[in-house]
Amino acid sequence: MKLCLDPGHGGSDSGGVGINIVGPDNYEKDEVLAIGLAAARMARERGIEVMLTRETDVFVAIDKRYKMANAWGAELFLSIHTNAAGGRGIEVLYGKKKYRSLAADMAQRLSRATGWPLRQGGTGVWYKPSGVGVIKNTTMPAILTENGFIDYAAENAAMDTDEWTEVIAKVHVDFACDFFGVSSGDGEEEELMAARTASPVQKEHHFPDVWLEEFGTYWLHVQNRGGTQATVKCYAVLKASDGGAYIDLLGDEPIKLAPDGQAGTYKDFNIGSRIREKTQAKSVTLSVHADQPVVCVLREK
């Protein structure tokens, strides 16, 4: 589990500048470095290896940042920023279509944690296939978070508090824990579990916009968090333009997972190949159903 945290800007590059400048806390470079350092501490406490692209107030070129992550073999890259130049709220950038669901997940988490609105028409995500090197040229899943507007008075005021730094750092680390399929370790697991729980009738967990033509291989990690055996089924949901049908990816052989704490409680399997066998659609929504609480993580391998 190798996480690269990328606090944006630094040194001579201040990034966004807050209103009513009174000190370094009103510069983006300082706000995001504080988040990165706090997130690194939290992630390491949860057993995740962490590399920071910078740990002090120094300038690091864009190409050096993604080359560092690629050379280290990072498995997840989170670039941390605040926004500026008019506006308010949360948005998360992604540079490859296959990472839209990751960006959407992170945007929702940040909006819930701060109470700030989602930008980009309420989606909170912005597809940037060019112009943002750290999410275009990284070889692992990568997103860039814009954690509010430093030049919007109310959001800037929050950024000047240690509490805000810890909250934003924790959102990033909880996201990474969920990505890697490990416990956040702080009592919030129940909330994450609920978001990942599905039953045949009442609840489902969706991974939207699985772009088949861009992925090498999709792997799905499913882990039982219930006290009895879990039965899990997976469906590819076609877009309306492709017919809108649910395609059963497991047929008569649903996944059977042992109760939490026993051998056989989780399974990793190549869901991408199953989707390709069943449909020629370019993108689908992957829908996971279970009769016990399960944690679901979709990865590229």
Side-chain angles (χ1 to χ4, degrees):
M1 299 182 296
K2 302 179 77 171
L3 169 65
C4 182
L5 296 171
D6 175 45
H9 308 282
S12 59
D13 177 8
S14 68
V17 180
I19 58 174
N20 300 322
I21 301 303
V22 296
D25 283 344
N26 283 283
Y27 293 95
E28 178 182 0
K29 65 175 184 176
D30 299 303
E31 301 290 359
V32 299
L33 179 59
I35 295 168
L37 292 172
R41 167 179 51 81
M42 295 178 190
R44 287 168 177 148
E45 289 172 354
R46 289 155 178 75
I48 298 173
E49 292 184 72
V50 178
M51 180 178 73
L52 286 150
T53 56
R54 68 181 183 96
E55 299 184 51
T56 59
D57 183 19
V58 295
F59 174 77
V60 181
I62 296 296
D63 63 338
K64 185 175 181 180
R65 293 171 188 259
Y66 65 74
K67 288 177 180 177
M68 289 169 62
N70 292 345
W72 185 56
E75 297 171 90
L76 177 64
F77 183 96
L78 302 178
S79 189
I80 306 168
H81 290 254
T82 60
N83 226 328
R88 62 171 303 198
I90 298 295
E91 63 187 4
V92 179
L93 282 59
Y94 63 106
K96 299 174 184 177
K97 289 181 178 178
K98 57 190 175 183
Y99 301 139
R100 186 185 191 283
S101 59
L102 291 179
D105 184 14
M106 177 66 91
Q108 291 287 341
R109 292 169 186 252
L110 288 168
S111 180
R112 287 198 303 268
T114 59
W116 296 347
L118 292 170
R119 291 172 56 77
Q120 302 300 323
T123 67
V125 298
W126 189 5
Y127 178 44
K128 294 281 287 184
S130 61
V132 185
V134 290
I135 55 174
K136 175 185 177 183
N137 298 312
T138 38
T139 57
M140 72 293 303
I143 56 176
L144 184 152
T145 61
E146 295 280 12
N147 301 278
F149 276 72
I150 198 169
D151 57 357
Y152 180 73
E155 294 176 3
N156 182 57
M159 292 176 192
D160 278 338
T161 67
D162 292 339
E163 179 183 5
W164 180 83
T165 300
E166 291 289 309
V167 166
I168 300 300
K170 184 179 182 304
V171 171
H172 284 72
V173 173
D174 285 351
F175 176 89
C177 287
D178 201 16
F179 178 87
F180 290 120
V182 300
S183 169
S184 62
D186 61 358
E188 299 250 341
E189 185 176 352
E190 292 296 328
E191 179 180 347
L192 294 179
M193 192 187 308
R196 294 288 185 263
T197 301
S199 66
V201 176
Q202 298 176 2
K203 294 181 181 179
E204 302 173 3
H205 182 64
H206 296 296
F207 295 96
D209 292 335
V210 178
W211 287 82
L212 303 179
E213 77 275 18
E214 291 193 1
F215 253 81
T217 305
Y218 273 116
W219 282 77
L220 182 68
H221 170 88
V222 186
Q223 183 169 1
N224 187 5
R225 291 296 175 84
T228 60
Q229 177 179 273
T231 300
V232 181
K233 301 204 73 174
C234 299
Y235 300 87
V237 186
L238 301 186
K239 297 183 180 300
S241 58
D242 293 319
Y246 270 62
I247 298 176
D248 191 341
L249 299 176
L250 302 178
D252 295 329
E253 298 181 2
I255 303 168
K256 300 287 187 179
L257 300 175
D260 191 20
Q262 299 184 19
T265 190
Y266 70 90
K267 184 175 179 63
D268 294 278
F269 62 101
N270 185 341
I271 197 67
S273 64
R274 294 174 184 261
I275 296 174
R276 289 186 180 87
E277 290 172 2
K278 303 283 188 177
T279 178
Q280 298 300 311
K282 291 185 177 181
S283 68
V284 301
T285 292
L286 179 63
S287 179
V288 181
H289 298 234
D291 57 2
Q292 291 291 320
V294 296
V295 172
C296 305
V297 182
L298 188 65
R299 299 193 183 101
E300 179 190 9
K301 287 190 178 182

